Amino acid sequence: MHAHLKGPHLRAFVRTCARTLGAGLVVVASFTLASARGAGSSTMIVISQRASDLTALYCYSAQGCLGSTGNNIEASNDDGLHWRVVMASIGPTGGTGIESFDCPAQGICYAEGGAYPDAVVLTTLDGQHWVRRRLGDVGTSSWYPWAIACASTSACVVGGGSGQDNDPGVVYRTRNAGATWVRSVLPKKTAQIWSIHCLSESNCVALAGIVPAHVPMGAGTNGFQIIASSNGGLTWTVRYQSGNYNPGDISCSGGATCWAALEPNLDQPALGTGPTLVSTNGGLSWRPLGLVENQRPNVIACVSPTTCWGAQLGRSAHFAGMSKDGGARWTWQRLVALSPPPAYIAGEPYYPILTCGSASSCLLLKSTSTTGEVLSRLGVP
C-alpha cells in the first residue's frame, strides 16, 4: 500500500471501526496550552477539544456547521458543540460515506461522497431536506469523489480519483445546480484530487497527486500538482508540481490569493513538511512563502488575504496556528492529548479537516493512531 495513508479503502475501514466502537462517546477535556511559538504577532486560543465520530466537516457561518457520521448528515448551530441528524441515511455509497460539503449561499449546500457506481452529490435549499443525485456516467470506472467546490448556487466542481493516491484523477462539473454533470479533461499525469477551490464560476484551482511514470498504478511514490481551470473546471492545466512532498490542502480568499499546504513525504521523512506555497494571481503562478520547516502548516484555511488558520499534525506533537499577514508569520499553540483518550480506533494523521465559519472561529477535525478523532474549536479572544 502507498505510504500516504489517504487511500479510500483504508479510510472506509478506519471510519467503520470508529463508528462501531465509539459513536456515542463525547468527552470534553480540560487542559493547559503549551507556550506559543513562532514569530507571528497574533493571539489565538484553543477553546476546547473533545472526541468526535465525525468523518466530514464544514462550517458556513460562525455558528452553523454541517458534518457526517458515515451515512448520516448532521448539523450544528452552536459551532460544533452539539449535533443533530438532518438526514438519517443518504442511501448506498459503496461504504465510504460523505467526504465533503460546500455551501455557496445561505441555506444552499452540496455534499458529496460514495464510490462509483454509488458516487453521489446531495443538494439542499434549506439545510434540512436533501436531494440525492448520482455522480458519474456509464464510461466511468471505479472512482471516489473526495472534494467539492461551488462558486455559486449553480456551478460546482467535484474531484477525486480512481482508487489509490496516484491512480488517475477524476473531476466532474455542473452548471445547473447538480441536475447534470460533465466529466472534465485533466492533464495526463494528474492523480487523485485532494482539494479544490473556485474563485469564480470560471476560475478554479486544485491540489492533486501525480501519476507515476514507471511504476504500476497504486504503487508507492510521492509528489503533487497544482492545476488550474479558466473555464469552470472543464479543462485544466498544471501550474506547479514537485515530486518531493504529498498534497495537503488548498485555500483561496479575496478573489485572487490562494495558498497550498503540503504534507510530509512519508517515504522520506527527513524532508519534513513541504513548503507552503502562495499565488496572488488566482492560481496561475505559485511561489514558496519562505517559511522554515517548523513553521509550515499541513492544512490551511484563509478567511481573508491576510488572516489564515493552520494546523501541524506531526507524529509526536500537534499544533494549531494563526497568521495575520497572509501566512508569512505564524503563532502556534500545542494541542494536548485528551484525558481520557478516545475509546475507538483511528489511523495515522491522514485525515485533517480545518474549516472556518468566520474570521475568528474555526473547527479542526484530526485523526491519529494515538489520540483517535478529535474535534478542536479554535478562536481568538
Side-chain angles (χ1 to χ4, degrees), residues 141-173:
S141 61
S142 176
W143 80 284
Y144 301 80
W146 178 267
I148 186 168
C150 299
S152 69
T153 58
S154 59
C156 296
V157 175
V158 172
S162 300
Q164 298 297 323
D165 290 4
N166 43 29
D167 287 344
V170 179
V171 170
Y172 280 86
R173 73 159 189 165

mmCIF file of all heavy atoms in Angstrom, residues 141-173:
data_model
loop_
_atom_site.group_PDB
_atom_site.id
_atom_site.type_symbol
_atom_site.label_atom_id
_atom_site.label_comp_id
_atom_site.label_asym_id
_atom_site.label_seq_id
_atom_site.Cartn_x
_atom_site.Cartn_y
_atom_site.Cartn_z
ATOM 1 N N SER A 141 -15.007 4.207 -14.685
ATOM 2 C CA SER A 141 -14.584 3.061 -13.891
ATOM 3 C C SER A 141 -14.740 3.403 -12.412
ATOM 4 O O SER A 141 -15.193 4.484 -12.050
ATOM 5 C CB SER A 141 -13.136 2.715 -14.205
ATOM 6 O OG SER A 141 -12.296 3.811 -13.884
ATOM 7 N N SER A 142 -14.377 2.486 -11.549
ATOM 8 C CA SER A 142 -14.482 2.717 -10.116
ATOM 9 C C SER A 142 -13.723 3.983 -9.721
ATOM 10 O O SER A 142 -12.562 4.169 -10.077
ATOM 11 C CB SER A 142 -13.907 1.514 -9.366
ATOM 12 O OG SER A 142 -13.910 1.748 -7.985
ATOM 13 N N TRP A 143 -14.380 4.882 -8.991
ATOM 14 C CA TRP A 143 -13.707 6.094 -8.544
ATOM 15 C C TRP A 143 -14.393 6.617 -7.289
ATOM 16 O O TRP A 143 -15.516 6.245 -6.972
ATOM 17 C CB TRP A 143 -13.678 7.146 -9.649
ATOM 18 C CG TRP A 143 -14.957 7.914 -9.822
ATOM 19 C CD1 TRP A 143 -16.107 7.476 -10.407
ATOM 20 C CD2 TRP A 143 -15.205 9.269 -9.426
ATOM 21 N NE1 TRP A 143 -17.057 8.459 -10.401
ATOM 22 C CE2 TRP A 143 -16.524 9.573 -9.804
ATOM 23 C CE3 TRP A 143 -14.433 10.249 -8.805
ATOM 24 C CZ2 TRP A 143 -17.099 10.814 -9.555
ATOM 25 C CZ3 TRP A 143 -14.996 11.490 -8.569
ATOM 26 C CH2 TRP A 143 -16.315 11.765 -8.945
ATOM 27 N N TYR A 144 -13.686 7.510 -6.596
ATOM 28 C CA TYR A 144 -14.136 8.025 -5.325
ATOM 29 C C TYR A 144 -14.082 9.552 -5.353
ATOM 30 O O TYR A 144 -13.006 10.127 -5.475
ATOM 31 C CB TYR A 144 -13.232 7.536 -4.195
ATOM 32 C CG TYR A 144 -13.150 6.038 -4.058
ATOM 33 C CD1 TYR A 144 -12.319 5.298 -4.898
ATOM 34 C CD2 TYR A 144 -13.884 5.369 -3.095
ATOM 35 C CE1 TYR A 144 -12.232 3.923 -4.776
ATOM 36 C CE2 TYR A 144 -13.806 3.999 -2.968
ATOM 37 C CZ TYR A 144 -12.981 3.273 -3.811
ATOM 38 O OH TYR A 144 -12.905 1.917 -3.689
ATOM 39 N N PRO A 145 -15.219 10.245 -5.239
ATOM 40 C CA PRO A 145 -15.159 11.699 -5.078
ATOM 41 C C PRO A 145 -14.615 12.053 -3.710
ATOM 42 O O PRO A 145 -14.883 11.365 -2.722
ATOM 43 C CB PRO A 145 -16.617 12.134 -5.233
ATOM 44 C CG PRO A 145 -17.416 10.933 -4.852
ATOM 45 C CD PRO A 145 -16.600 9.741 -5.256
ATOM 46 N N TRP A 146 -13.829 13.119 -3.650
ATOM 47 C CA TRP A 146 -13.160 13.490 -2.402
ATOM 48 C C TRP A 146 -13.386 14.940 -2.013
ATOM 49 O O TRP A 146 -13.493 15.271 -0.847
ATOM 50 C CB TRP A 146 -11.662 13.216 -2.526
ATOM 51 C CG TRP A 146 -10.871 13.596 -1.314
ATOM 52 C CD1 TRP A 146 -10.231 14.781 -1.083
ATOM 53 C CD2 TRP A 146 -10.672 12.810 -0.139
ATOM 54 N NE1 TRP A 146 -9.622 14.778 0.145
ATOM 55 C CE2 TRP A 146 -9.880 13.559 0.754
ATOM 56 C CE3 TRP A 146 -11.071 11.527 0.237
ATOM 57 C CZ2 TRP A 146 -9.493 13.093 1.993
ATOM 58 C CZ3 TRP A 146 -10.679 11.056 1.476
ATOM 59 C CH2 TRP A 146 -9.897 11.837 2.337
ATOM 60 N N ALA A 147 -13.457 15.858 -2.992
ATOM 61 C CA ALA A 147 -13.536 17.290 -2.681
ATOM 62 C C ALA A 147 -14.563 17.958 -3.583
ATOM 63 O O ALA A 147 -14.751 17.560 -4.735
ATOM 64 C CB ALA A 147 -12.170 17.955 -2.870
ATOM 65 N N ILE A 148 -15.222 18.988 -3.054
ATOM 66 C CA ILE A 148 -16.199 19.749 -3.831
ATOM 67 C C ILE A 148 -15.969 21.236 -3.603
ATOM 68 O O ILE A 148 -15.601 21.668 -2.506
ATOM 69 C CB ILE A 148 -17.642 19.356 -3.459
ATOM 70 C CG1 ILE A 148 -18.659 20.040 -4.382
ATOM 71 C CG2 ILE A 148 -17.944 19.651 -2.002
ATOM 72 C CD1 ILE A 148 -20.066 19.486 -4.259
ATOM 73 N N ALA A 149 -16.164 22.034 -4.647
ATOM 74 C CA ALA A 149 -16.083 23.490 -4.558
ATOM 75 C C ALA A 149 -17.188 24.081 -5.412
ATOM 76 O O ALA A 149 -17.360 23.692 -6.573
ATOM 77 C CB ALA A 149 -14.721 23.993 -5.033
ATOM 78 N N CYS A 150 -17.947 25.014 -4.846
ATOM 79 C CA CYS A 150 -19.061 25.655 -5.552
ATOM 80 C C CYS A 150 -18.829 27.162 -5.571
ATOM 81 O O CYS A 150 -18.750 27.795 -4.508
ATOM 82 C CB CYS A 150 -20.385 25.338 -4.883
ATOM 83 S SG CYS A 150 -20.793 23.573 -4.842
ATOM 84 N N ALA A 151 -18.738 27.730 -6.767
ATOM 85 C CA ALA A 151 -18.541 29.168 -6.889
ATOM 86 C C ALA A 151 -19.858 29.921 -6.819
ATOM 87 O O ALA A 151 -19.866 31.129 -6.563
ATOM 88 C CB ALA A 151 -17.834 29.481 -8.207
ATOM 89 N N SER A 152 -20.978 29.239 -7.049
ATOM 90 C CA SER A 152 -22.303 29.844 -6.997
ATOM 91 C C SER A 152 -23.304 28.744 -6.678
ATOM 92 O O SER A 152 -22.935 27.575 -6.510
ATOM 93 C CB SER A 152 -22.640 30.517 -8.326
ATOM 94 O OG SER A 152 -22.821 29.540 -9.343
ATOM 95 N N THR A 153 -24.554 29.091 -6.602
ATOM 96 C CA THR A 153 -25.579 28.102 -6.296
ATOM 97 C C THR A 153 -25.774 27.098 -7.422
ATOM 98 O O THR A 153 -26.345 26.033 -7.201
ATOM 99 C CB THR A 153 -26.916 28.787 -6.005
ATOM 100 O OG1 THR A 153 -27.294 29.590 -7.145
ATOM 101 C CG2 THR A 153 -26.802 29.696 -4.777
ATOM 102 N N SER A 154 -25.279 27.411 -8.624
ATOM 103 C CA SER A 154 -25.488 26.511 -9.761
ATOM 104 C C SER A 154 -24.203 25.892 -10.292
ATOM 105 O O SER A 154 -24.262 24.890 -11.010
ATOM 106 C CB SER A 154 -26.181 27.259 -10.902
ATOM 107 O OG SER A 154 -25.408 28.373 -11.316
ATOM 108 N N ALA A 155 -23.037 26.446 -9.969
ATOM 109 C CA ALA A 155 -21.769 25.997 -10.559
ATOM 110 C C ALA A 155 -20.886 25.346 -9.498
ATOM 111 O O ALA A 155 -20.449 25.996 -8.547
ATOM 112 C CB ALA A 155 -21.029 27.168 -11.198
ATOM 113 N N CYS A 156 -20.619 24.040 -9.659
ATOM 114 C CA CYS A 156 -19.784 23.299 -8.715
ATOM 115 C C CYS A 156 -18.829 22.379 -9.477
ATOM 116 O O CYS A 156 -19.093 21.984 -10.615
ATOM 117 C CB CYS A 156 -20.633 22.433 -7.784
ATOM 118 S SG CYS A 156 -21.752 23.345 -6.701
ATOM 119 N N VAL A 157 -17.739 22.039 -8.809
ATOM 120 C CA VAL A 157 -16.751 21.100 -9.323
ATOM 121 C C VAL A 157 -16.491 20.058 -8.249
ATOM 122 O O VAL A 157 -16.315 20.399 -7.082
ATOM 123 C CB VAL A 157 -15.439 21.818 -9.703
ATOM 124 C CG1 VAL A 157 -14.378 20.812 -10.133
ATOM 125 C CG2 VAL A 157 -15.684 22.837 -10.796
ATOM 126 N N VAL A 158 -16.477 18.782 -8.632
ATOM 127 C CA VAL A 158 -16.194 17.677 -7.718
ATOM 128 C C VAL A 158 -14.978 16.921 -8.238
ATOM 129 O O VAL A 158 -14.898 16.605 -9.429
ATOM 130 C CB VAL A 158 -17.390 16.719 -7.592
ATOM 131 C CG1 VAL A 158 -17.001 15.477 -6.787
ATOM 132 C CG2 VAL A 158 -18.561 17.418 -6.925
ATOM 133 N N GLY A 159 -14.023 16.635 -7.354
ATOM 134 C CA GLY A 159 -12.818 15.918 -7.749
ATOM 135 C C GLY A 159 -12.546 14.738 -6.848
ATOM 136 O O GLY A 159 -12.946 14.713 -5.688
ATOM 137 N N GLY A 160 -11.855 13.750 -7.394
ATOM 138 C CA GLY A 160 -11.477 12.572 -6.629
ATOM 139 C C GLY A 160 -10.466 11.769 -7.412
ATOM 140 O O GLY A 160 -9.611 12.322 -8.105
ATOM 141 N N GLY A 161 -10.575 10.450 -7.329
ATOM 142 C CA GLY A 161 -9.608 9.616 -8.019
ATOM 143 C C GLY A 161 -10.122 8.214 -8.238
ATOM 144 O O GLY A 161 -11.231 7.861 -7.816
ATOM 145 N N SER A 162 -9.291 7.412 -8.866
ATOM 146 C CA SER A 162 -9.679 6.066 -9.268
ATOM 147 C C SER A 162 -9.332 5.006 -8.235
ATOM 148 O O SER A 162 -9.437 3.823 -8.516
ATOM 149 C CB SER A 162 -9.009 5.707 -10.601
ATOM 150 O OG SER A 162 -9.399 6.606 -11.610
ATOM 151 N N GLY A 163 -8.890 5.396 -7.063
ATOM 152 C CA GLY A 163 -8.597 4.411 -6.041
ATOM 153 C C GLY A 163 -7.445 4.825 -5.168
ATOM 154 O O GLY A 163 -7.623 5.494 -4.164
ATOM 155 N N GLN A 164 -6.207 4.478 -5.549
ATOM 156 C CA GLN A 164 -5.027 4.838 -4.769
ATOM 157 C C GLN A 164 -4.610 6.271 -5.070
ATOM 158 O O GLN A 164 -5.079 6.892 -6.029
ATOM 159 C CB GLN A 164 -3.876 3.875 -5.084
ATOM 160 C CG GLN A 164 -4.173 2.438 -4.713
ATOM 161 C CD GLN A 164 -4.385 2.248 -3.221
ATOM 162 O OE1 GLN A 164 -3.724 2.878 -2.403
ATOM 163 N NE2 GLN A 164 -5.303 1.365 -2.854
ATOM 164 N N ASP A 165 -3.686 6.777 -4.222
ATOM 165 C CA ASP A 165 -3.282 8.178 -4.322
ATOM 166 C C ASP A 165 -2.840 8.574 -5.719
ATOM 167 O O ASP A 165 -3.108 9.686 -6.174
ATOM 168 C CB ASP A 165 -2.114 8.452 -3.353
ATOM 169 C CG ASP A 165 -2.562 8.398 -1.907
ATOM 170 O OD1 ASP A 165 -3.734 8.077 -1.668
ATOM 171 O OD2 ASP A 165 -1.731 8.676 -1.041
ATOM 172 N N ASN A 166 -2.096 7.705 -6.388
ATOM 173 C CA ASN A 166 -1.500 8.112 -7.662
ATOM 174 C C ASN A 166 -2.099 7.397 -8.859
ATOM 175 O O ASN A 166 -1.495 7.325 -9.912
ATOM 176 C CB ASN A 166 0.019 7.903 -7.621
ATOM 177 C CG ASN A 166 0.391 6.579 -6.984
ATOM 178 O OD1 ASN A 166 -0.379 5.619 -7.063
ATOM 179 N ND2 ASN A 166 1.550 6.522 -6.366
ATOM 180 N N ASP A 167 -3.315 6.849 -8.728
ATOM 181 C CA ASP A 167 -4.095 6.455 -9.893
ATOM 182 C C ASP A 167 -4.671 7.716 -10.530
ATOM 183 O O ASP A 167 -4.705 8.778 -9.914
ATOM 184 C CB ASP A 167 -5.223 5.513 -9.486
ATOM 185 C CG ASP A 167 -4.724 4.118 -9.131
ATOM 186 O OD1 ASP A 167 -3.567 3.815 -9.497
ATOM 187 O OD2 ASP A 167 -5.459 3.363 -8.499
ATOM 188 N N PRO A 168 -5.140 7.655 -11.778
ATOM 189 C CA PRO A 168 -5.615 8.866 -12.453
ATOM 190 C C PRO A 168 -6.720 9.584 -11.695
ATOM 191 O O PRO A 168 -7.611 8.962 -11.111
ATOM 192 C CB PRO A 168 -6.118 8.324 -13.794
ATOM 193 C CG PRO A 168 -5.306 7.101 -14.030
ATOM 194 C CD PRO A 168 -5.104 6.495 -12.672
ATOM 195 N N GLY A 169 -6.658 10.907 -11.712
ATOM 196 C CA GLY A 169 -7.671 11.720 -11.065
ATOM 197 C C GLY A 169 -8.933 11.813 -11.893
ATOM 198 O O GLY A 169 -8.939 11.536 -13.097
ATOM 199 N N VAL A 170 -10.024 12.221 -11.231
ATOM 200 C CA VAL A 170 -11.325 12.361 -11.870
ATOM 201 C C VAL A 170 -11.947 13.667 -11.390
ATOM 202 O O VAL A 170 -11.931 13.966 -10.195
ATOM 203 C CB VAL A 170 -12.255 11.180 -11.525
ATOM 204 C CG1 VAL A 170 -13.625 11.369 -12.185
ATOM 205 C CG2 VAL A 170 -11.644 9.853 -11.965
ATOM 206 N N VAL A 171 -12.519 14.439 -12.323
ATOM 207 C CA VAL A 171 -13.222 15.679 -11.993
ATOM 208 C C VAL A 171 -14.515 15.747 -12.801
ATOM 209 O O VAL A 171 -14.530 15.423 -13.992
ATOM 210 C CB VAL A 171 -12.355 16.924 -12.278
ATOM 211 C CG1 VAL A 171 -13.185 18.206 -12.152
ATOM 212 C CG2 VAL A 171 -11.168 16.986 -11.322
ATOM 213 N N TYR A 172 -15.587 16.159 -12.149
ATOM 214 C CA TYR A 172 -16.856 16.465 -12.820
ATOM 215 C C TYR A 172 -17.260 17.888 -12.464
ATOM 216 O O TYR A 172 -16.912 18.400 -11.386
ATOM 217 C CB TYR A 172 -17.963 15.509 -12.362
ATOM 218 C CG TYR A 172 -17.938 14.161 -13.029
ATOM 219 C CD1 TYR A 172 -17.153 13.133 -12.525
ATOM 220 C CD2 TYR A 172 -18.703 13.912 -14.164
ATOM 221 C CE1 TYR A 172 -17.136 11.883 -13.127
ATOM 222 C CE2 TYR A 172 -18.689 12.666 -14.778
ATOM 223 C CZ TYR A 172 -17.909 11.658 -14.250
ATOM 224 O OH TYR A 172 -17.889 10.423 -14.858
ATOM 225 N N ARG A 173 -18.028 18.524 -13.354
ATOM 226 C CA ARG A 173 -18.537 19.858 -13.060
ATOM 227 C C ARG A 173 -20.009 19.940 -13.440
ATOM 228 O O ARG A 173 -20.496 19.190 -14.298
ATOM 229 C CB ARG A 173 -17.757 20.925 -13.822
ATOM 230 C CG ARG A 173 -18.059 20.958 -15.325
ATOM 231 C CD ARG A 173 -17.678 22.296 -15.925
ATOM 232 N NE ARG A 173 -18.140 22.418 -17.301
ATOM 233 C CZ ARG A 173 -18.192 23.566 -17.968
ATOM 234 N NH1 ARG A 173 -17.787 24.684 -17.400
ATOM 235 N NH2 ARG A 173 -18.638 23.609 -19.204
#
